[in-house]
Amino acid sequence: MQVSCSTIGFGALPIGDALDRIAAIGFTEVEIGVLGDFCPHLDPLAPIAETVARSAALFDRCGLRPVALNSAPRIYCDDPADPGQLLRVADRLLELAAGLRCELILDVGEREDTDAGLRRAAAVAGEAFRRGRDRHGVTVSVEAPHRGMNAQTVPEALRLLEIAGEDALGVTYDTSHATCGGTPAAEGLRLMGDRITRVQARDHRDGDVHHTPGDGEYDWPALARFLAANPRPVCLELEFDGRLTPDQVAAESGRGREFLHRLLRSP
């Protein structure tokens, strides 16, 4: 199974430098962060054709294939509670993803005190999925569960999928956030089943979701069994954040990839 790397950990660097770092570690596939000032590697509000052409040239130069854009449309909205604004940004992200021939990962919005946030996230996710499928030929998934978001536990993620009403809408499952949500790995993987289309590999320890795989509490053998038994292809990727220096992210990405390769080779 191929393991890809996210540019999010290199968010402080220009995208060309981030891609150079990732290619130098030996990765051939990359997830691109589109997350405002946190990871400004692509701008969904800029002219799309120019952005696609410039980005494609960088990928070709580095020998990397983009596999997904990881974004939060709310970052680019004046009112992040307005579904119309969220979908207008999602449309631009879908055009970018289509131009780069990759998938789109959407967040589900910062947590709100009422049920309205989860229902809005489900409605936007369902509509973005349909537009991706019907207008752009782009696969859309939602990142859930995710701490601090409208679906931060496995049960909430399942409810979001139910409300969205699209059986083919997949989930980008972050191992660290899933552990933080309190559901044991084996149970969560069983419950979410083939709705998991992507796995972001990080570890969780003592409330911190930013550890390298193998350094925390997550049940990695359970994930290996799930991946081996799942008939649906699942993309596996490493994602770190900007708390580490670029040199540290590079070192931990290499170490995490080796851990995952050993895990996947285990009987």
Side-chain angles (χ1 to χ4, degrees), residues 3 34 38 53 56 75 96 120 165-166 168 170 172 194 203 211 231 233 248 250:
V3 178
V34 189
F38 182 69
I75 293 174
L96 278 176
R120 183 189 315 113
E166 291 290 345
T172 292
D194 64 4
D203 221 330
H211 288 283
Q248 290 172 323

Side-chain angles (χ1 to χ4, degrees), residues 7 24 46-47 53 61 107 116 135-136 143 150 163 165 178 185 267:
T7 70
R61 175 178 65 78
D107 88 332
R135 301 181 186 178
H136 301 282
E143 187 172 350
N150 281 312
I163 296 171

Side-chain angles (χ1 to χ4, degrees), residues 194-241:
D194 64 4
R195 300 303 286 267
I196 297 174
T197 58
R198 314 190 69 84
V199 172
Q200 291 176 337
R202 291 193 306 199
D203 221 330
H204 170 278
R205 185 173 73 235
D206 299 329
D208 186 346
V209 296
H210 298 100
H211 288 283
T212 302
D215 288 355
E217 305 159 355
Y218 186 74
D219 184 355
W220 295 100
L223 177 66
R225 291 191 296 271
F226 169 79
L227 293 173
N230 193 342
R232 182 174 182 175
V234 175
C235 298
L236 185 60
E237 56 202 28
L238 285 158
E239 180 190 298
F240 295 88
D241 73 1

Side-chain angles (χ1 to χ4, degrees), residues 11-263:
L13 299 177
I15 184 172
D17 293 345
L19 296 176
D20 285 338
R21 292 269 189 154
I22 291 169
I25 306 167
F27 289 97
T28 58
E29 296 184 342
V30 63
E31 172 203 281
I32 309 298
V34 189
L35 295 165
D37 293 340
F38 182 69
C39 186
H41 284 154
L42 294 180
D43 181 0
L45 304 184
I48 290 172
E50 295 175 15
T51 301
V52 168
R54 183 172 60 251
S55 302
L58 287 173
F59 296 134
D60 288 343
R61 175 178 65 78
C62 297
L64 291 168
R65 183 175 75 89
V67 291
L69 307 183
N70 187 333
S71 191
R74 59 187 168 82
I75 293 174
Y76 303 96
C77 296
D78 295 328
D79 180 2
D82 179 352
Q85 289 189 36
L86 292 167
L87 284 169
R88 281 193 289 274
V89 176
D91 276 335
R92 296 190 66 82
L93 290 163
L94 287 166
E95 287 188 56
L96 278 176
L100 294 170
R101 299 180 181 179
C102 66
E103 299 186 8
L104 175 61
I105 304 168
L106 296 177
D107 88 332
V108 295
E110 293 182 319
R111 194 162 187 85
E112 301 177 34
D113 292 334
T114 68
D115 191 54
L118 186 142
R119 290 189 169 277
R120 183 189 315 113
V124 169
E127 180 59 23
F129 171 82
R130 288 185 287 274
R131 294 183 184 188
R133 178 193 62 199
D134 300 338
R135 301 181 186 178
H136 301 282
V138 170
T139 299
V140 175
S141 63
V142 291
E143 187 172 350
H146 192 296
R147 185 174 67 177
M149 298 293 174
N150 281 312
Q152 65 178 359
T153 66
V154 167
E156 288 176 346
L158 291 170
R159 185 159 177 268
L160 181 144
L161 294 173
E162 180 183 6
I163 296 171
E166 291 290 345
D167 291 344
L169 173 62
V171 161
T172 292
Y173 168 93
D174 185 307
T175 52
S176 63
H177 288 292
T179 304
C180 190
T183 302
E187 180 182 356
L189 292 165
R190 177 183 61 79
L191 289 170
M192 302 201 78
D194 64 4
R195 300 303 286 267
I196 297 174
T197 58
R198 314 190 69 84
V199 172
Q200 291 176 337
R202 291 193 306 199
D203 221 330
H204 170 278
R205 185 173 73 235
D206 299 329
D208 186 346
V209 296
H210 298 100
H211 288 283
T212 302
D215 288 355
E217 305 159 355
Y218 186 74
D219 184 355
W220 295 100
L223 177 66
R225 291 191 296 271
F226 169 79
L227 293 173
N230 193 342
R232 182 174 182 175
V234 175
C235 298
L236 185 60
E237 56 202 28
L238 285 158
E239 180 190 298
F240 295 88
D241 73 1
R243 299 182 183 201
L244 304 177
T245 67
D247 286 344
Q248 290 172 323
V249 172
E252 294 307 299
S253 296
R255 191 165 69 88
R257 182 182 56 184
E258 290 306 309
F259 171 83
L260 293 174
H261 283 165
R262 289 195 303 271
L263 176 76

